[in-house]
Amino acid sequence: MAISNLHDFLQSYFAAHHCELLHNENGFLTVQLTEKMDRALMNRPFYWHYIKKMGHPGEPKQLTLITVPEKKDGKHEWIHYGSPRMHQIINHLHEHEKYTKLFEQINTNEKTALYPWLITNIKISYRGKQKKDEMISIGLHLVNGVMKLEMMDELQRKNLQNTIPDYCYTISPMIKLQSGFKRIEKVLESYVQDQDHHWAEASRKKMAEEIDLLRHFYKDESEESDIKKEIDEIKARYSPYITFEVINGGLFYLKN
């Protein structure tokens, strides 16, 4: 159900931002950034300020990312869910493109219906003794209720645009967006419930051990307030919980 690695997600992310994919195989992804994406990701404000002041167009950088740990070579950047680069990309999506509305690009001379899909990328975060993040790409057909996974892969094979193509018309959703999000939420809740939760048990066990050790060292009742404070900190550190976060998504009108 989950994206097993970030490669497809990153490929779709850069393609959607009009970056040319120069190399895309075996855990390596090299992209030619646009000026806009160079400004967003490469932290070169002084370069762009200077080059524009001189009246030059500037040269956006190429970026090579390694998405498979076994391929790390020390020369290129390894990206993973917890890496600074991934946080940067997620923040970029949060700030600029969390929600969108796009239409499938179709060249036709006949009236063609486009159907509404609610498509979203959601991060599931598992927190406790250890931390783990998981990305889910899921789409809901807002007319017939069909739900599909790996929808970023589906979109990757389509050309999308901001305006509805000539001769095309949209089918009105039968399922409202709020109801659609609730359906997706229920599916994700079922998915999480079916997972192995030994990590949560291990977190609770570690929390109990830490609290027992703390009480062993604090024998004096006068130190009870200090004990409570440290116990609260231990609970905050080890109490297991799971959160859902919508990274981005939108309403996509696609040919059936």
Side-chain angles (χ1 to χ4, degrees), residues 55-245:
H56 298 304
E59 295 183 4
K61 284 190 173 185
Q62 292 181 10
L63 179 63
T64 297
L65 299 173
I66 299 173
T67 58
V68 179
E70 292 76 15
K71 299 289 185 178
K72 289 190 290 185
D73 59 8
K75 294 185 296 183
H76 301 105
E77 184 178 340
W78 175 43
I79 185 170
H80 53 91
Y81 286 117
S83 67
R85 179 69 72 189
M86 190 59 194
H87 283 297
Q88 185 187 40
I89 288 173
I90 289 174
N91 288 337
H92 177 250
L93 289 171
H94 268 304
E95 292 172 10
H96 301 286
E97 298 172 46
K98 190 166 185 176
Y99 301 105
T100 189
K101 180 180 179 181
L102 295 173
F103 303 85
E104 184 173 356
Q105 189 180 92
I106 298 171
N107 294 319
T108 181
N109 293 322
E110 300 177 351
K111 286 188 176 181
T112 304
L114 298 181
Y115 292 82
W117 283 82
L118 172 61
I119 299 175
T120 182
N121 293 309
I122 295 176
K123 181 173 74 170
I124 304 177
S125 297
Y126 304 82
R127 294 292 182 265
K129 178 184 174 184
Q130 295 178 325
K131 297 179 180 180
K132 174 186 164 186
D133 291 328
E134 192 172 24
M135 293 288 292
I136 304 287
S137 178
I138 190 167
L140 172 67
H141 195 299
L142 294 178
V143 175
N144 60 25
V146 167
M147 204 170 290
K148 293 180 69 174
L149 303 172
E150 306 285 340
M151 278 303 295
M152 286 300 292
D153 291 342
E154 186 84 13
L155 292 181
Q156 187 181 324
R157 294 189 288 269
K158 298 179 181 294
N159 294 319
L160 302 171
Q161 61 187 53
N162 293 318
T163 57
I164 187 168
D166 293 339
Y167 297 102
C168 291
Y169 63 95
T170 59
I171 301 296
S172 298
M174 299 294 291
I175 302 170
K176 294 182 179 179
L177 287 177
Q178 185 176 1
S179 176
F181 271 112
K182 287 182 178 179
R183 292 191 186 199
I184 290 173
E185 188 178 54
K186 286 181 179 179
V187 168
L188 294 180
E189 287 174 350
S190 296
Y191 167 69
V192 167
Q193 288 173 1
D194 290 339
Q195 301 303 300
D196 184 340
H197 293 297
H198 284 151
W199 65 274
E201 296 170 10
S203 294
R204 293 191 186 96
K205 182 179 178 181
K206 179 65 174 177
M207 180 172 62
E209 291 173 352
E210 291 283 329
I211 292 174
D212 287 343
L213 184 62
L214 179 67
R215 291 193 180 280
H216 176 75
F217 286 105
Y218 283 93
K219 302 282 189 178
D220 194 334
E221 291 185 3
S222 64
E223 298 174 315
E224 189 63 33
S225 61
D226 293 331
I227 296 176
K228 185 180 183 305
K229 181 180 178 181
E230 293 198 38
I231 287 177
D232 289 342
E233 291 175 354
I234 291 171
K235 287 181 177 179
R237 191 159 61 247
Y238 292 112
S239 291
Y241 65 94
I242 300 171
T243 61
F244 297 156
E245 180 186 2

Side-chain angles (χ1 to χ4, degrees), residues 24-77:
N24 179 25
E25 61 180 349
N26 299 328
F28 283 84
L29 184 67
T30 300
V31 296
Q32 174 60 60
L33 299 175
T34 62
E35 177 183 333
K36 183 177 179 180
M37 291 303 290
D38 187 298
R39 287 175 178 268
L41 300 179
M42 302 310 292
N43 194 28
R44 301 198 296 164
F46 297 111
Y47 167 80
W48 286 108
H49 175 76
Y50 172 78
I51 208 73
K52 292 300 181 180
K53 192 173 182 180
M54 297 295 293
H56 298 304
E59 295 183 4
K61 284 190 173 185
Q62 292 181 10
L63 179 63
T64 297
L65 299 173
I66 299 173
T67 58
V68 179
E70 292 76 15
K71 299 289 185 178
K72 289 190 290 185
D73 59 8
K75 294 185 296 183
H76 301 105
E77 184 178 340

